[in-house]
Amino acid sequence: MLDEKRIKEAEKNIKRYLEEGLLKKVKEHNENIIKIFKKDSEESLKVAELLSKNDLSWLWTVVCSYYSMFYISNAVLYSLGYKVGAKIAHKVTSDALIFYVRKKLKERLLVDFETAKEEALELAGVKADELIESFDFERLKRSKFQYEMTEPIKKTKAETSLNRAKKFIFEMEKILLKSIIFNFMNI
């Protein structure tokens, strides 16, 4: 679960990213950008599945799983009116997910669990935190993976990455769809 320190760090960083232009507020939406991010996410996930299924490369299963999450995250952020710049894009995306998307995930998950009140609030918060945290886990795992693990461990970690990516993308696409519908209704 995301701890308060990580959440506060993201909040502080977002202000700096906006000031330095590492994250920009989008004035006009271009639906093609969202389509490109979604296509890249889908392609990365397909490649990760292919690599995993055929035992071709555990390293690249992790890398492609992570990138599928990265691209769908940027599609969601763009749909919410933010474009991540080229410099430190992965860290900016991670912090922006915590700052802008975490609350939306909680709200969307609450709708799914609307019959249970207190339990749903706690469960939705935990699940939203877990999904956002999975992005950070994969970002960090990608760097450790190349140098520190044996092949059997790599296989297990790669399968975990692939499953996290699938779950992450499933939830992010729901937010993306809601955002697209909202933007369309307000045109």
Side-chain angles (χ1 to χ4, degrees):
M1 188 153 144
L2 290 172
D3 62 12
E4 248 343 274
K5 182 181 174 188
R6 179 68 181 101
I7 294 166
K8 294 286 184 205
E9 173 194 337
E11 289 175 8
K12 185 181 90 177
N13 288 344
I14 288 298
K15 291 175 187 164
R16 185 172 50 86
Y17 298 153
L18 289 166
E19 289 170 3
E20 295 176 10
L22 298 171
L23 181 67
K24 295 178 182 164
K25 185 80 174 133
V26 177
K27 293 177 182 153
E28 292 183 26
H29 279 78
N30 180 343
E31 291 304 313
N32 286 331
I33 292 174
I34 294 172
K35 286 178 185 175
I36 290 167
F37 279 135
K38 279 191 69 173
K39 181 185 159 294
D40 290 348
S41 175
E42 292 164 3
E43 182 179 320
S44 296
L45 187 62
K46 284 178 186 173
V47 171
E49 288 174 326
L50 178 72
L51 293 168
S52 177
K53 179 181 170 187
N54 294 301
D55 294 341
L56 294 174
S57 170
W58 303 122
L59 167 64
W60 285 100
T61 299
V62 170
V63 171
C64 291
S65 295
Y66 167 75
Y67 271 97
S68 68
M69 296 166 75
F70 176 76
Y71 290 129
I72 196 69
S73 296
N74 278 279
V76 169
L77 291 169
Y78 186 83
S79 76
L80 296 174
Y82 297 93
K83 174 109 174 65
V84 176
K87 290 183 181 177
I88 64 168
H90 297 272
K91 178 67 171 146
V92 173
T93 299
S94 180
D95 288 345
L97 282 174
I98 292 169
F99 191 79
Y100 294 114
V101 179
R102 182 174 170 261
K103 183 178 177 186
K104 291 193 179 303
L105 269 172
K106 282 184 182 182
E107 291 167 359
R108 202 210 50 73
L109 292 168
L110 279 173
V111 170
D112 290 350
F113 299 111
E114 65 186 31
T115 54
K117 295 193 185 266
E118 282 303 310
E119 286 181 64
L121 182 59
E122 187 177 320
L123 182 59
V126 168
K127 189 170 180 183
D129 285 356
E130 286 174 358
L131 284 168
I132 297 298
E133 194 173 36
S134 70
F135 182 89
D136 256 353
F137 285 148
E138 294 305 314
R139 182 176 61 86
L140 295 171
K141 184 195 300 180
R142 183 180 57 120
S143 64
K144 291 180 184 177
F145 202 86
Q146 290 175 287
Y147 309 107
E148 301 174 18
M149 295 181 198
T150 63
E151 284 304 306
I153 293 173
K154 285 182 179 182
K155 179 179 181 178
T156 302
K157 298 284 186 187
E159 289 169 348
T160 299
S161 294
L162 184 56
N163 290 329
R164 276 186 184 152
K166 287 177 182 178
K167 188 185 294 186
F168 186 85
I169 290 167
F170 179 76
E171 295 298 338
M172 296 301 272
E173 283 182 338
K174 290 178 187 176
I175 291 175
L176 184 59
L177 181 61
K178 184 177 179 181
S179 178
I180 290 169
I181 290 169
F182 178 78
N183 288 334
F184 179 77
M185 301 286 278
N186 289 321
I187 291 178

